[in-house]
Amino acid sequence: MKMRQWLVIVVLAVLSFSASSQWYETQGQAFILNNDKAAARTQAMENALKKALLVAGASVSSVQQVVNGLLLQDELSIRASGSVNSIEIVDETHSGDQVNITIRADIFPQEKQCFSADFKKSLLLTKSNLLHREQANIGEIYGLDAMLMKLLSKKLKADSQYISTKLALKNKTNFSRLNRSLAYEEIKALSMSLADLTDSQYILFTEIADLSFANENNNQWQFWQENIYDRHLGLSFYLYNGINGEMILEKQYQRKAPWTFGRRQSVDLTGGDFWQSSYGRMTEQTLNEFIRLLDENMMCEPTRGKIVKVSGNELIFNLGSQHGVKIGDEFSLLHLNNFEANNGKQYAGFNVSSYKVKVTQVNRQSAHASTTDEHLLGNIQVDDLVVRY
């Protein structure tokens, strides 16, 4: 018997989430005892949802907090503590005394309660896009696009608990052109391509949107000095998931500070004079604020690695000691599965495998793992994912 239904979600609490929701498809099983099919369906449903919650990084003290039972009618009633946005039953089969239910759940990882917080995520920092290059003429600060990312990388390496950075500064991406034309599918493709090329989990694009000067000077009574004007700093940050190309964070800053250098003076962005000036300190403070925001958001993002080799019951994936992986760590396996909803909109989702693997060997950027029950890995392939639950 097969059936396809939508579940009704009753949200008990409104929570703030630091990460975007994601669809997960899992299968649960249960045995029918004393001919009680309804109880078996509930248990199979709970089993499937628990798997989805675990690999999504949601905090679950009891599945009963999420699943409160099923009705016998076509409409199913679900109570959610805030982690689950919606659920769909994709398939249900009965075989002898066993019930198998496949669900698709839209899940938010709960804020600051993450199974993946002990692991660092690899983040690619791309060269900033200077949107109005002529605004950099005063001071000749054309190199600010690369310098900001170098400083951001240095600060993340020193201060971030959850991020391991890589730099790509030789060439600019075409992100800003795509962003201006609202070419979101092309941005997804760009993010996934860069992630695959650089072995990164997340991609950060940055735009320098404003380096203009204010109209009024700050020392109008000191007529013997050159006028000092406020200079603006407009920065926009866009964080994308390299696995499915979806944006998970967007932040804009608009600040200003006195520009204390001469209008014809060429400013050395690598020197202390700039970074100790009012404008330099304001720029650095803006980066510090973004790092705190980035860390808060990345903490609860699942630590996912890409499988690069499969052989029998063993595999190799692209997370290692620099990400916090240790011998004995267990990971679940995911297969990327994009699907189209009834409204025609495309969604990125994951099929959750029944296999789990345990790490047996760790290198700096990769790890070897094998199945915990020594079973062969079946349909697990290169480019499938491992996820810390």
Side-chain angles (χ1 to χ4, degrees):
M1 178 181 71
K2 295 186 178 181
M3 59 189 302
R4 183 181 181 90
Q5 302 169 321
W6 283 94
L7 305 186
V8 176
I9 303 299
V10 181
V11 179
L12 298 180
V14 178
L15 303 179
S16 62
F17 298 98
S18 63
S20 58
S21 64
Q22 180 67 64
W23 286 93
Y24 294 84
E25 187 171 303
T26 57
Q27 186 180 74
Q29 300 85 25
F31 288 98
I32 301 172
L33 300 177
N34 300 321
N35 203 33
D36 192 343
K37 296 182 180 179
R41 294 176 74 234
T42 299
Q43 292 175 12
M45 182 74 175
E46 292 176 356
N47 179 249
L49 186 53
K50 183 176 182 179
K51 290 179 183 178
L53 288 164
L54 287 174
V55 298
S59 175
V60 186
S61 58
S62 169
V63 179
Q64 292 295 336
Q65 291 179 336
V66 180
V67 181
N68 193 41
L70 306 178
L71 300 178
L72 296 179
Q73 295 89 345
D74 288 343
E75 183 178 75
L76 305 177
S77 178
I78 299 295
R79 293 184 182 271
S81 64
S83 292
V84 181
N85 185 42
S86 59
I87 307 173
E88 176 191 0
I89 290 184
V90 177
D91 188 48
E92 177 179 341
T93 60
H94 292 230
S95 178
D97 59 351
Q98 181 172 304
V99 178
N100 297 279
I101 292 181
T102 301
I103 68 164
R104 185 182 293 144
D106 187 17
I107 298 175
F108 286 96
Q110 283 186 314
E111 186 176 17
K112 300 185 185 301
Q113 298 180 19
C114 312
F115 292 91
S116 57
D118 292 336
F119 293 85
K120 287 195 172 185
K121 291 80 176 174
S122 57
L123 172 66
L124 179 70
L125 304 179
T126 63
K127 193 173 184 178
S128 297
N129 288 279
L130 186 57
L131 298 188
H132 305 286
R133 185 173 174 82
E134 70 280 0
Q135 291 181 350
N137 289 343
I138 296 179
E140 298 181 1
I141 54 173
Y142 306 107
L144 191 62
D145 51 4
M147 183 55 63
L148 282 180
M149 292 301 99
K150 289 180 181 179
L151 182 58
L152 182 61
S153 176
K154 181 180 178 180
K155 286 180 170 293
L156 284 170
K157 288 178 180 178
D159 302 331
S160 175
Q161 301 180 56
Y162 309 108
I163 301 170
S164 173
T165 63
K166 301 177 182 180
L167 278 170
L169 302 180
K170 290 185 178 180
N171 299 293
K172 292 182 181 178
T173 69
N174 60 350
F175 169 80
S176 290
R177 179 181 62 80
L178 297 175
N179 198 35
R180 285 195 301 270
S181 59
L182 306 180
Y184 300 127
E185 292 303 316
E186 287 83 352
I187 292 176
K188 281 187 177 183
L190 173 63
S191 302
M192 295 167 66
S193 175
L194 288 173
D196 188 58
L197 183 65
T198 62
D199 222 13
S200 303
Q201 294 173 258
Y202 299 92
I203 311 296
L204 181 69
F205 300 107
T206 310
E207 292 180 335
I208 304 174
D210 189 5
L211 293 176
S212 65
F213 280 80
N215 293 325
E216 296 183 1
N217 69 71
N218 292 328
N219 64 334
Q220 53 187 325
W221 301 111
Q222 298 171 351
F223 57 86
W224 62 88
Q225 295 182 2
E226 184 175 359
N227 291 338
I228 296 176
Y229 291 86
D230 281 340
R231 190 170 197 171
H232 297 287
L233 176 69
L235 288 177
S236 299
F237 297 93
Y238 306 87
L239 180 67
Y240 283 82
N241 187 328
I243 299 297
N244 53 32
E246 294 185 348
M247 186 172 69
I248 58 178
L249 174 65
E250 178 181 0
K251 180 64 177 178
Q252 282 84 33
Y253 296 93
Q254 185 66 46
R255 306 284 170 80
K256 64 180 180 179
W259 183 259
T260 54
F261 303 96
R263 297 182 70 86
R264 295 178 176 82
Q265 180 180 351
S266 178
V267 178
D268 181 9
L269 294 178
T270 65
D273 287 347
F274 173 75
W275 294 106
Q276 291 169 15
S277 70
S278 298
Y279 192 84
R281 291 197 303 269
M282 178 268 293
T283 301
E284 188 170 2
Q285 180 183 355
T286 303
L287 292 181
N288 290 338
E289 289 183 23
F290 177 69
I291 287 173
R292 289 192 292 270
L293 176 66
L294 187 62
D295 242 14
E296 291 174 1
N297 280 268
M298 292 291 278
M299 179 180 71
C300 286
E301 287 296 321
T303 300
R304 294 178 178 135
K306 185 173 292 187
I307 297 172
V308 298
K309 184 177 180 180
V310 181
S311 177
N313 74 320
E314 299 179 343
L315 55 81
I316 301 174
F317 58 91
N318 65 349
L319 298 176
S321 59
Q322 72 172 15
H323 306 100
V325 177
K326 303 178 296 296
I327 292 177
D329 286 340
E330 289 192 1
F331 287 81
S332 295
L333 305 182
L334 304 178
H335 180 69
L336 189 63
N337 177 35
N338 297 326
F339 66 93
E340 183 176 318
N342 292 336
N343 60 6
K345 189 174 181 179
Q346 291 290 330
Y347 291 91
F350 300 96
N351 287 339
V352 182
S353 170
S354 60
Y355 299 109
K356 291 182 180 179
V357 294
K358 181 178 289 187
V359 174
T360 58
Q361 179 183 335
V362 179
N363 301 314
R364 179 169 172 76
Q365 296 184 352
S366 64
H368 297 242
S370 59
T371 53
T372 55
D373 54 9
E374 298 186 355
H375 286 173
L376 298 180
L377 285 167
N379 62 347
I380 298 301
Q381 304 172 7
V382 171
D383 289 336
D384 282 346
L385 308 176
V386 300
V387 60
R388 175 65 171 176
Y389 57 87

